[in-house]
Amino acid sequence: VNLASVLLFQAFDPATGSELWRSDATSSGTVLVRDIVPGPNSSTPSRLVEMNGLVYFTAGGGLLRSDGTSSGTALVRDSIGIGTSLVNVGGVLYFGAGDFTTGTELWRSDGTSSGTSLVKDIRPGTDTSSLAELTNFDGLLAFRANDGASGVELWISDGTSTGTTLVNDIRSGLNTSDPIGLTPVGSILYFRANDGTSGPELWRSDGTSSGTVLVKDIRPGPTGMNGF
């Protein structure tokens, strides 16, 4: 990931394992940032994303941040089992994480330990809501999830529990419309979904239930189109 014209990335060295490195595109400027798990064992930094001039990433089961220096690489929150990509929406970091109480659910972070918390237990109890495809959509977070009553459908969040809602139960009941390929174009979100009648086809949403509609039944009938 690019941080102030410097590349931060994961690399393996036999002496340090897989750790966080940086490069300014020169040999001498390509160096280990920090051996987070000292010695040959790996912290395996992944899901790197830039937010507010820092890089956030997962390593060793926790959320960390770095300014590209060893002293500026620090733990934000430990032992939260992050299981999705990290997405920056307006200076707030969103991701799926969890524990044995809630399962994997939607979390947010402002980059501090106290500001890292559960947004909503979408599927109450220990079952996971199967969060995926977290997408910055016109200043909101769009994603797919399963609340246990509606199947895997399109959801949206403003970062609050009450503002985290099912957009539309496209394939009603426990059936799943399986929205994938979430792609924002301006204030419209495009994706593929299956309403049970048209098969997997192109849909669009403005983030409201009434504004979530089939664009076109490209391949008429229940088979649906391929691709997307």
Side-chain angles (χ1 to χ4, degrees):
V1 66
N2 180 2
L3 180 66
S5 299
V6 174
L7 180 69
L8 269 68
F9 59 99
Q10 178 199 138
F12 176 82
D13 180 293
T16 61
S18 293
E19 295 292 350
L20 185 66
W21 285 65
R22 61 175 286 161
S23 179
D24 62 4
T26 68
S27 177
S28 61
T30 301
V31 296
L32 176 70
V33 174
R34 183 169 179 175
D35 189 6
I36 296 167
V37 176
N41 292 322
S42 299
S43 71
T44 316
S46 59
R47 306 182 179 98
L48 279 69
V49 63
E50 187 276 335
M51 185 178 80
N52 299 334
L54 296 171
V55 167
Y56 290 82
F57 59 97
T58 63
L63 176 66
L64 292 88
R65 66 172 182 249
S66 179
D67 63 2
T69 69
S70 179
S71 61
T73 301
L75 180 69
V76 175
R77 183 77 177 262
D78 197 12
S79 301
I80 52 176
I82 298 172
T84 69
S85 59
L86 308 177
V87 177
N88 176 7
V89 180
V92 176
L93 199 64
Y94 292 92
F95 50 93
D99 52 33
F100 294 112
T101 302
T102 63
T104 300
E105 296 292 349
L106 182 63
W107 283 59
R108 60 174 285 166
S109 178
D110 62 4
T112 68
S113 179
S114 61
T116 302
S117 61
L118 176 71
V119 175
K120 185 171 185 173
D121 189 1
I122 293 169
R123 187 168 186 171
T126 57
D127 289 335
T128 177
S129 63
S130 302
L131 285 164
E133 302 232 4
L134 278 65
T135 304
N136 185 342
F137 168 52
D138 202 25
L140 297 170
L141 180 74
F143 58 99
R144 50 179 276 164
N146 185 347
D147 63 2
S150 305
V152 178
E153 297 290 351
L154 180 66
W155 284 67
I156 202 162
S157 179
D158 64 2
T160 68
S161 179
T162 56
T164 301
T165 58
L166 174 68
V167 175
N168 190 308
D169 190 3
I170 294 171
R171 191 169 182 176
S172 61
L174 292 173
N175 295 312
T176 289
S177 74
D178 195 29
I180 62 172
L182 276 60
T183 304
V185 180
S187 59
I188 299 296
L189 185 71
Y190 292 90
F191 55 96
R192 190 179 76 181
N194 184 349
D195 63 3
T197 301
S198 304
E201 294 287 354
L202 180 64
W203 283 68
R204 58 173 282 168
S205 179
D206 62 3
T208 69
S209 180
S210 61
T212 302
V213 296
L214 176 69
V215 175
K216 184 172 183 175
D217 190 359
I218 296 172
R219 186 177 181 180
T223 302
M225 69 175 189
N226 295 316
F228 198 71

